[in-house]
Structures are given as C-alpha cells and as structure tokens.
C-alpha cells in the first residue's frame, strides 16, 4: 500500500485581524507552509500529492486553482506524482478544452507525473456556477470523453448535446501516452460503483467512518470493475482513501500540537459549512441528524478520541500509525491520502509528522509489500513446476 497526501490549503478562522488583512495573512502562510511540506514529502517517498479544486470555501479549501499549485510543484519536486484531486468537470464549471490544456501542461512540466482526478463538487459550488445538478454525472462523463479525444486526436471536433466545438488542434498533448491515469471522486456507494463501471481509480472522500463501513463500499467498486467499460483510454483499478493523519514521536505531543482541537475543528467546520450552504432548507432536527456529534459534544456526551479508537483517523507513534495503515490495506485500500495539514496543527508538527511517516512507515510498507510479492511469485513458480 502507498501513502499519498491530500491538500486543501486551509486558512482556519478566526483570522488575526479584520478584513482585508486577516484573511490575506492567513492565506499567505497557508500556501508557503503547504509547499514546504509537500517538498519534504517528495524527499521522504510519498507516492502522490492530491490537490483539491474548491471554490468559495470559508476557512477550509482555499485552493480554487489546483493547476497553478501543481505547476509550481512540478518545478520544486522530483518524484512525487501530482494529482488533480479533482478537476471539476461539468461544462458549466469549465470548458473541456480548458481541462485538457491545464492537465496536459502540468503533465509536460512534471515529466509525466500527473494523476487526473475528476469530480462534480457539492451543491453550494454547483449552484454558484449554474451547474445542472440533475445531469452533473452525465455531463462529467461526457466532458471526460471530450478531454480524452482532444488529447488523442491531432484535431478534435464535436457537435453533441453538451458541446459544440469546431475543429481545432488542442495543445499541448500530455507527456504520458495516451494520457495520465484517470480517477473519480466518490462519497457514496452509487458513485463508487460508477467509478468502477467506468474503469476509473476511486478517490473516496468519505471520512470519519469505521473501516467496517468502508469495506462494503470498496467491494462495490471492485465488483463493478470486473465488467467495466473504460471511460478513458487508461484503465485504473486502484482505490485511494482520504483521512486525517498525524504521526508524532510520542502521544504526549498531541496536546502540544493541538491535535484533538484540530480534529474537532475539522468536523465542526464541515458541519457548519454544510448546514449553512447546503442543508439550510432542512429542519433543525434533520440538520442535527446529519451531524449528530455537534449535539453530543454540546451535551458532553462525545469523546473526540473515539475517532482514533475506531481507526477513523490515523494518529499515533510511527509503530501505531503503521498498525492502522495495515488495517486499511486489509480492507482493500491501495493508497491512503494522508490529510496531514488540518486545523491548528503547527507547521513544525506537520513537518515532523511527514518526516516520521517517510522515515519509518513508508519503508516498512514497501518492505512488507515486497515480501508479499516475492511470496506470491514463489507460489506461482511452484504451481507451474507441479504442472
């Protein structure tokens, strides 16, 4: 199993100052620190850094232009793959030619290190861009087919229900041939099945759930892959799962690093954002049911360490983190997208976490993987000899 990273470039509120300088100061620090952390992760052997595309977020996800960030990373990193996590695909967000151009450009600049994730975003963003929500899945797939055509054909032309595009040479073409591996974001069983049916990698952004709930979703994905009709020209059958990760030399560092406070910040910001922008039409009781921990915490009935005890997050010493990563591997995860920079964790603590994971956990995961591969090859050779 591989370790990757997921970055949203957060600027947690409250900001230290009124508008305009509070937000600007926070964003400057967030971008500077994120790039530093990713450069270290590249040196420490992380597989992929996935950068989100989100618009109009407040405190979380101050990264609407992931192609710019990934372009910058292409020049200051050497080996780590650069993931669009994701490119928003429905036509109202962006013309397919622009997706083809920006993904291919980063692939060229990085010498072929791009992973192309695609997604539809959430109602709050869809509404702002006028996206036809009922047809957003259909449009995402149609746009993806257009992008692949623009990469593979010297001149591309399309006159369809969703796109009227005259014959043009779309430049540049990707570094990778025929194009970068393609993935799809999913947070439900239906979308996971859709990713599998289309021969796409799975980027699962369903977080803070027990592994017992994650395995059935992965099983649905794998089953759908068995009869897949690939949407693109590169079939991918891998599952990446995103969760909060923090590694420290000792658990005694957790309080100093503000880990539990940062974890609760993550949950509450997701809840408050969703209630404000996407669940405002629901009754108060329905909103509470959507995010039950808010009420539990207010009553003093919730212990934040439960996230850790039930392996919904991966926190601990290198030895403890390794043990938790192996549990994710057992249920079928190919890559954990480590969300290491969240909430109020100090920059130095995030750097130390990346260092420990790179120095101790990644080599051990690779060693165990090599041992399993060798054992599998040995069994195959013995079976062949018996025949």
């Amino acid at each position: 199993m591989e370790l990757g990273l997921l970055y949203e470039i957060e600027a947690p509120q409250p900001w230290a100052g009124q508008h305009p300088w509070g937000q600007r100061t926070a964003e400057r620090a967030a971008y500077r620190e994120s790039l530093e952390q990713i450069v270290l992760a590249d040196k420490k052997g992380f597989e992929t850094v996935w950068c989100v595309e989100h618009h109009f977020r407040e405190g979380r996800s101050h990264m609407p232009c992931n192609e710019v960030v990934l372009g910058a990373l292409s020049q200051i990193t050497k080996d780590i793959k650069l993931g669009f996590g994701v490119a928003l695909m429905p036509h109202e967000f962006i013309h397919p030619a622009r997706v083809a151009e920006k993904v291919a450009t980063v692939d060229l600049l990085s010498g072929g290190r791009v992973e192309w994730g695609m997604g539809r975003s959430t109602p709050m963003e869809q509404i702002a861009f006028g996206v036809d929500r009922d047809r957003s899945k259909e449009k995402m797939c149609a746009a993806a087919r257009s992008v692949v055509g623009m990469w593979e054909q010297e001149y591309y032309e399309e006159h369809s229900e969703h796109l009227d595009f005259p014959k043009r040479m779309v430049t540049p073409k990707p570094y990778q041939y025929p194009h970068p591996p393609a993935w799809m974001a999913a947070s439900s069983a239906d979308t996971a099945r859709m990713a599998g049916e289309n021969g796409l990698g799975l980027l699962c952004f369903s977080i803070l759930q027990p592994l017992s709930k994650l395995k059935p979703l992965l099983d649905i994905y794998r089953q759908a892959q068995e009869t897949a009709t690939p949407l693109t020209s590169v079939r991918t059958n891998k599952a990446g799962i995103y969760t909060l990760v923090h590694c420290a030399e000792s658990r005694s560092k957790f309080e100093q690093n503000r880990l539990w406070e940062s974890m609760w910040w993550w949950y509450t910001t997701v809840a408050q954002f969703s209630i404000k922008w996407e669940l405002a039409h629901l009754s108060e009781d329905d909103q509470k049911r959507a995010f039950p921990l808010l009420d539990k915490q207010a009553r003093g009935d919730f212990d934040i360490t439960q996230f850790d005890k039930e392996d919904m997050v991966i926190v601990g010493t290198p030895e403890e983190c390794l043990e938790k990563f192996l549990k994710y591997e057992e249920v079928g995860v190919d890559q954990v997208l480590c969300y290491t920079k969240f909430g109020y964790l100090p920059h130095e603590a995030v750097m130390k976490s990346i260092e420990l994971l790179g120095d101790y956990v990644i080599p051990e995961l690779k060693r165990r993987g090599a041992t399993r591969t060798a054992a599998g090859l040995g069994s195959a050779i013995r079976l062949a000899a018996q025949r």
Side-chain angles (χ1 to χ4, degrees):
M1 189 181 70
E2 304 162 346
L3 296 193
L5 295 168
L6 183 86
Y7 268 78
E8 296 195 320
I9 306 194
E10 299 170 344
Q13 293 176 316
W15 294 318
Q18 298 299 312
H19 184 77
W21 295 111
Q23 179 180 350
R24 291 172 188 240
T25 301
E27 289 172 341
R28 290 173 185 179
Y31 270 80
R32 181 181 66 252
E33 292 172 359
S34 294
L35 293 184
E36 249 186 84
Q37 292 159 15
I38 295 166
V39 167
L40 176 62
D42 174 48
K43 295 173 182 175
K44 293 297 180 180
F46 281 76
E47 181 71 14
T48 310
V49 56
W50 297 90
C51 292
V52 305
E53 178 188 340
H54 274 309
H55 303 270
F56 321 124
R57 298 295 171 119
E58 301 172 8
R60 287 186 61 238
S61 306
H62 286 233
M63 182 160 45
C65 303
N66 52 6
E67 71 273 21
V68 178
V69 177
L70 292 168
L73 288 170
S74 75
Q75 302 303 292
I76 58 176
T77 60
K78 181 182 177 184
D79 298 311
I80 196 167
K81 293 176 183 174
L82 305 176
F84 283 80
V86 295
L88 299 182
M89 299 298 296
H91 300 72
E92 296 91 340
F93 278 121
I94 187 171
H95 194 289
R98 293 291 296 117
V99 177
E101 292 165 349
K102 68 181 186 178
V103 174
T105 299
V106 178
D107 201 40
L108 271 177
L109 288 172
S110 65
R113 288 189 278 144
V114 160
E115 302 279 324
W116 171 38
M118 63 185 75
R120 300 175 297 130
S121 190
T122 62
M124 182 261 202
E125 294 178 58
Q126 292 170 346
I127 290 168
F129 282 93
V131 174
D132 184 346
R133 292 175 57 196
D134 292 336
R135 303 187 70 184
S136 60
K137 289 183 180 179
E138 173 191 341
K139 288 189 170 186
M140 174 176 64
C141 291
R145 284 190 287 268
S146 299
V147 168
V148 171
M150 292 170 182
W151 284 336
E152 293 188 340
Q153 299 175 30
E154 184 177 12
Y155 289 88
Y156 184 79
E157 183 175 3
E158 179 179 333
H159 303 284
S160 66
E161 179 182 2
H162 301 304
L163 184 65
D164 189 19
F165 185 68
K167 187 176 181 179
R168 294 289 186 273
M169 178 185 287
V170 179
T171 64
K173 306 301 186 190
Y175 187 96
Q176 298 175 74
Y177 182 83
H179 62 76
W183 302 64
M184 180 182 287
S187 59
S188 68
D190 285 345
T191 318
R193 183 180 294 108
M194 182 180 175
E197 289 171 346
N198 284 284
L200 302 169
L202 174 67
L203 293 173
C204 186
F205 294 137
S206 182
I207 194 172
L208 298 186
Q209 291 193 36
L211 289 177
S212 59
K213 290 188 176 181
L214 179 61
K215 187 178 187 307
L217 188 142
L218 294 176
D219 290 343
I220 289 169
Y221 169 71
R222 300 293 184 199
Q223 186 176 6
Q225 277 277 1
E226 293 176 5
T227 55
T229 301
L231 177 66
T232 72
S233 299
V234 178
R235 182 168 179 174
T236 303
N237 185 7
K238 295 175 73 175
I241 305 299
Y242 145 51
T243 193
L244 306 181
V245 176
H246 185 68
C247 189
E249 293 164 309
S250 166
R251 282 181 170 258
S252 63
K253 296 277 190 181
F254 284 0
E255 292 296 333
Q256 177 184 332
N257 293 347
R258 301 177 70 184
L259 174 63
W260 305 120
E261 186 181 350
S262 296
M263 200 176 294
W264 184 244
W265 172 90
W266 191 93
Y267 182 87
T268 55
T269 54
V270 171
Q272 290 164 358
F273 177 87
S274 299
I275 289 170
K276 177 179 178 180
W277 291 107
E278 296 175 353
L279 304 178
H281 62 288
L282 298 181
S283 68
E284 185 177 345
D285 286 343
D286 286 339
Q287 290 175 352
K288 287 180 179 179
R289 275 191 285 273
F291 293 98
L293 299 186
L294 292 178
D295 205 35
K296 280 190 172 186
Q297 176 77 354
R299 298 196 312 266
D301 294 340
F302 176 68
D303 178 4
I304 189 71
T305 63
Q306 282 300 118
F307 289 149
D308 174 30
K309 293 170 184 173
E310 296 184 27
D311 299 321
M312 298 184 197
V313 297
I314 297 175
V315 300
T317 64
E319 294 79 10
E320 291 171 330
C321 287
L322 174 63
E323 184 180 339
K324 289 176 181 288
F325 281 123
L326 292 173
K327 291 179 182 178
Y328 277 69
E329 186 177 51
E330 286 173 9
V331 300
V333 176
D334 298 298
Q335 184 177 141
V336 175
L337 282 55
C338 301
Y339 197 57
T340 57
K341 178 179 171 59
F342 57 93
Y344 310 110
L345 289 171
H347 174 53
E348 296 74 19
V350 177
M351 293 286 279
K352 189 64 179 178
S353 177
I354 291 171
E355 179 185 328
L356 291 170
L357 292 170
D359 287 346
Y360 298 103
V361 177
I362 290 176
E364 183 60 21
L365 288 172
K366 288 183 177 179
R367 186 188 69 78
R368 292 180 185 230
T371 300
R372 283 192 298 275
T373 300
L377 287 172
S379 298
I381 290 169
R382 284 193 295 273
L383 285 171
Q386 290 169 7
R387 294 191 187 103

